[in-house]
Amino acid sequence: MGLLEIEGLNKAFGSLTVTRNVSLSVPSGRKHVIIGPNGAGKTSLIHQIGGQLQPDSGRILIDGAEVGKLGPEGRARLGLARTFQKNTLFPKLSVHENVRLGAQARFGSPFDLFRPARRSTELDDRAASLLARFGLDHLAQAPAGSISYGDQRQLELAVALSGEPRILLLDEPTSGLSPTETKALVGVIRSLPDDLAILMIEHDMEVVFSLADRITVLYYGEVLAEGTPEEVTANARVQEVYLGAGI
Amino acid sequence: MSASSPTTWAGRARSADPVAYLQYPALAVLLAWPFLFSTYNTGLLTEILIFAIAAMSLDLLMGYGGLVSFGQAAFFGLGAYTTVILSVSFGMSPWTGWAAGVVVSAAAAAVIGFLCIRLKGVGFFMLTLAFAQLLFSAALKWRSLTGGSDGIGGMQRPALAGFRLDDPATMYFVALGAFLLSLVLLRLVVGSQYGHALVGIRDNEVRMRALGYRANAVKLIAFTVSGLFAGFSGGLYAIFNGFVSPDAMAFGLSGTILLMVVLGGAGSLVGPAIGAAVFLLVKQIASSYTEHWLSIVGIIFVACVMFFRSGIYGLLLRLGRRGS
Ligand SMILES: Nc1ncnc2c1ncn2[C@@H]1O[C@H](COP(=O)(O)OP(=O)(O)O)[C@@H](O)[C@H]1O
Ligand SMILES: [Mg+2]
């Protein structure tokens, strides 16, 4: 059984069904990529897994335990982390402070009213080493809003990793990046811990095929195909509606 | 009604903050005040210090938490009523009454906050107002306990280590001590890991929850601590005045405290304290010339909102930066 399991998930906005009987399983260590045209319901699916959106029916399990009743914070505590399609950094905070705030959620004491946030060496060390891994250490003191978009996308990922998650959801991490920046980000994703379960939405086919262990194709909220990259490329329906259309 | 803040993260701007250099001279003036000025002015400054605590209490919730409450007078009033009732009707020491008032206010804030923090924006604003009105009518109607619209008077100011609070200077120093204690504690809170979580949730709740922060618990704590300090100031106000009436719990007082925060600059703690001083000074000076003093406050308020949204404190910051 996968670390992350989704069984028969359904979600509709009024008459628009964005998730139709979707099931998938992501074991520890796997990079599972979701592709599909715009409006296919990819982001909505990630929102339901993250707890930002309530499904109409179906089950979501982390490590075998159903998490449907938990809010996003409860799921984060079980080791689920995510990035958003649009950056959600704190632009006035420094790059370092953004990561420290992420680490604080898991390793700090957010309910200690009198422990100065600025004097936690443990959290500072965590933030510093993560930034070094991402090659962002030279920007540590810059306000997050002032660094380049490519660096912001990396920082977004660094913040998500700051709590040492077991499951990572990525919503189009390379969107808006230059080819060079994309390459750098792919390198970072490759270097993530071996046991991390990754479920990511990706647009760039080159990135998809260089990272994916498994691919799910979503089409109007439905799973059109699921399998290894080879199986999915060979799938006639996928070619017809998706790959053949040149995306 | 913006809850925008001049300094997003408490302390961050302090090193680069020209106003910070003024805090020691300001403290020196506050300490010397009763020896320099008349009893009357000392009384006025005592009142300012008491309301500064109330304004800072709301600032925690509003400036740092982004939760604009129109019910702060409820907790101020609970602190005041508890102090007077326990000391006049139950014969306890006003000090005990004050301590109990703080506990009662914090407990009430925990309960009311639990019901309010699930709402956001206008909904939150209206619900805090509704609860405050509920408590206000209780103060008005429960005559046997509260004395109705007349309130309860006749409380003697207590003594402290041999000093009688009847002496305006002693009363003043108690208020100054309470103010400084509140300022130091609240600064610690907003600079703590908790404080950073609170500001993060204000700025992006979805993000913070996804990181694992329990947003509702963080907000509830802010509401409770805010109520605690409001009760602390209310109890002190009762000791200062020797009586309490429903005015201490009224709609108008909630508005006044809110005005002090916006006027001074939300999200800075010191700003709302300055806002309290400016409000009460304008009231004092203008009301001796015209009955329409509240209009003058209104004009200043509108000017504040239109021309310097981060309040007087934000304006001082800008002037200071230009000067240095
Ligand atoms: N909160 C919402 N209310 C109504 N419709 C929505 C909402 N969120 C998304 N949608 C619609 O659902 C469909 C799927 O959106 P989304 O999951 O963002 O697609 P994708 O990420 O695959 O591009 C789109 O047609 C979008 O307009
Ligand atoms: Mg999307």
Side-chain angles (χ1 to χ4, degrees):
Chain A
M1 177 179 264
L3 185 53
L4 174 67
E5 288 283 336
I6 290 138
E7 297 174 1
L9 214 60
N10 287 288
K11 174 73 186 174
F13 293 117
S15 60
L16 176 71
T17 303
V18 292
T19 308
R20 195 190 300 267
N21 196 27
V22 171
S23 300
L24 52 86
S25 167
V26 190
S28 169
R30 178 175 294 169
K31 296 184 183 65
H32 193 129
V33 180
I34 300 173
I35 61 174
N38 264 333
K42 305 181 297 295
T43 296
S44 302
L45 178 61
I46 295 284
H47 280 341
Q48 290 170 75
I49 301 171
Q52 283 78 28
L53 193 62
Q54 204 57 37
D56 298 333
S57 64
R59 309 202 312 155
I60 298 164
L61 301 101
I62 293 177
D63 227 356
E66 189 164 356
V67 298
K69 292 218 165 58
L70 295 179
E73 59 275 35
R75 300 181 198 192
R77 280 156 189 282
L78 290 176
L80 184 82
R82 67 164 297 182
T83 64
F84 290 80
Q85 190 166 356
K86 286 209 183 95
N87 280 340
T88 55
L89 300 167
F90 294 100
K92 286 188 208 156
L93 289 192
S94 74
V95 167
H96 179 87
E97 284 170 321
N98 266 280
V99 182
R100 186 179 58 202
L101 192 61
Q104 185 189 289
R106 163 123 192 248
F107 301 105
S109 33
F111 291 109
D112 189 336
L113 272 63
F114 299 111
R115 179 181 304 193
R118 238 163 280 279
R119 259 178 258 146
S120 165
T121 32
E122 196 219 331
L123 297 180
D124 281 330
D125 290 348
R126 282 183 177 279
S129 73
L130 206 54
L131 287 177
R133 234 174 74 200
F134 278 74
L136 289 172
D137 34 351
H138 63 290
L139 295 170
Q141 296 314 316
S146 73
I147 65 176
S148 75
Y149 181 74
D151 288 333
Q152 287 183 5
R153 286 312 271 175
Q154 294 221 20
L155 179 55
E156 178 89 15
L157 184 53
V159 171
L161 288 169
S162 61
E164 295 190 357
R166 296 188 293 161
I167 303 167
L168 182 63
L169 312 175
L170 304 173
D171 194 347
E172 303 205 16
T174 68
S175 75
L177 296 188
S178 73
T180 329
E181 290 168 334
T182 300
K183 232 176 232 146
L185 196 71
V186 168
V188 169
I189 294 173
R190 276 231 180 84
S191 75
L192 294 180
D194 289 339
D195 56 353
L196 189 64
I198 300 178
L199 180 64
M200 70 184 275
I201 299 172
E202 185 52 61
H203 239 78
D204 184 329
M205 282 305 145
E206 213 174 304
V207 174
V208 172
F209 288 110
S210 73
L211 284 176
D213 300 316
R214 252 187 127 68
I215 297 177
T216 292
V217 185
L218 272 191
Y219 192 64
Y220 289 112
E222 236 173 321
V223 175
L224 186 73
E226 208 238 273
T228 64
E230 295 74 28
E231 287 164 3
V232 168
T233 358
N235 185 303
R237 284 181 71 202
V238 174
Q239 285 183 351
E240 192 182 318
V241 306
Y242 188 56
L243 295 172
I247 304 176
Chain B
M1 211 67 64
S2 87
S4 71
S5 60
T7 55
T8 314
W9 297 75
R12 146 196 277 281
R14 214 177 293 154
S15 54
D17 173 358
V19 177
Y21 298 118
L22 290 175
Q23 65 188 352
Y24 298 105
L27 182 60
V29 170
L30 286 174
L31 285 170
W33 192 279
F35 309 109
L36 300 174
F37 296 101
S38 72
T39 306
Y40 171 75
N41 283 332
T42 301
L44 177 61
L45 195 55
T46 306
E47 194 175 344
I48 286 173
L49 289 169
I50 294 169
F51 279 100
I53 300 172
M56 292 190 300
S57 79
L58 180 59
D59 194 26
L60 175 70
L61 193 60
M62 184 174 149
Y64 295 88
L67 295 162
V68 183
S69 162
F70 210 119
Q72 206 64 359
F75 309 111
F76 184 93
L78 277 175
Y81 269 103
T82 308
T83 305
V84 175
I85 289 170
L86 287 185
S87 92
V88 174
S89 315
F90 292 87
M92 294 181 193
S93 138
W95 300 118
T96 314
W98 189 14
V102 171
V103 174
V104 168
S105 303
V111 174
I112 292 174
F114 181 80
L115 300 165
C116 291
I117 48 124
R118 269 141 243 277
L119 298 182
K120 291 185 170 65
V122 177
F124 175 83
F125 186 81
M126 298 305 286
L127 197 56
T128 52
L129 173 60
F131 276 112
Q133 288 304 95
L134 203 68
L135 284 172
F136 174 73
S137 34
L140 215 50
K141 298 277 158 59
W142 195 353
R143 286 206 183 79
S144 57
L145 186 71
T146 65
S149 57
D150 297 335
I152 307 172
M155 189 172 86
Q156 295 301 310
R157 282 196 195 163
L160 179 67
F163 293 100
R164 294 203 45 83
L165 264 64
D166 296 342
D167 173 27
T170 310
M171 181 67 225
Y172 169 81
F173 281 114
V174 169
L176 181 59
F179 167 75
L180 292 175
L181 178 69
S182 304
L183 179 61
V184 166
L185 289 177
L186 285 169
R187 266 198 179 165
L188 263 177
V189 170
V190 300
S192 70
Q193 294 195 7
Y194 165 80
H196 284 206
L198 180 64
V199 174
I201 289 164
R202 176 196 75 186
D203 289 346
N204 193 339
E205 181 168 343
V206 172
R207 189 355 130 215
M208 292 295 278
R209 290 183 70 191
L211 283 170
Y213 285 99
R214 287 155 60 191
N216 281 342
V218 169
K219 288 185 201 171
L220 180 55
I221 289 173
F223 201 101
T224 306
V225 173
S226 173
L228 183 151
F229 279 98
F232 185 61
S233 62
L236 186 57
Y237 190 61
I239 290 175
F240 175 63
N241 274 329
F243 77 94
V244 65
S245 76
D247 285 346
M249 230 178 217
F251 171 77
L253 182 61
S254 290
T256 297
I257 297 171
L258 192 58
L259 209 62
M260 289 167 172
V261 174
V262 176
L263 206 58
S268 61
L269 291 181
V270 173
I274 297 172
V278 169
F279 180 94
L280 291 172
L281 282 172
V282 169
K283 175 182 172 183
Q284 196 62 48
I285 297 164
S287 66
S288 62
Y289 294 105
T290 162
E291 279 172 34
H292 305 297
W293 66 272
L294 204 54
S295 320
I296 296 175
V297 173
I299 291 165
I300 297 179
F301 178 74
V302 169
C304 248
V305 171
M306 284 179 66
F307 301 114
F308 26 103
R309 300 207 62 179
S310 43
I312 297 167
Y313 185 79
L315 183 71
L316 290 176
L317 271 186
R318 261 192 288 165
L319 291 177
R321 289 219 181 92
R322 199 173 300 163
S324 64

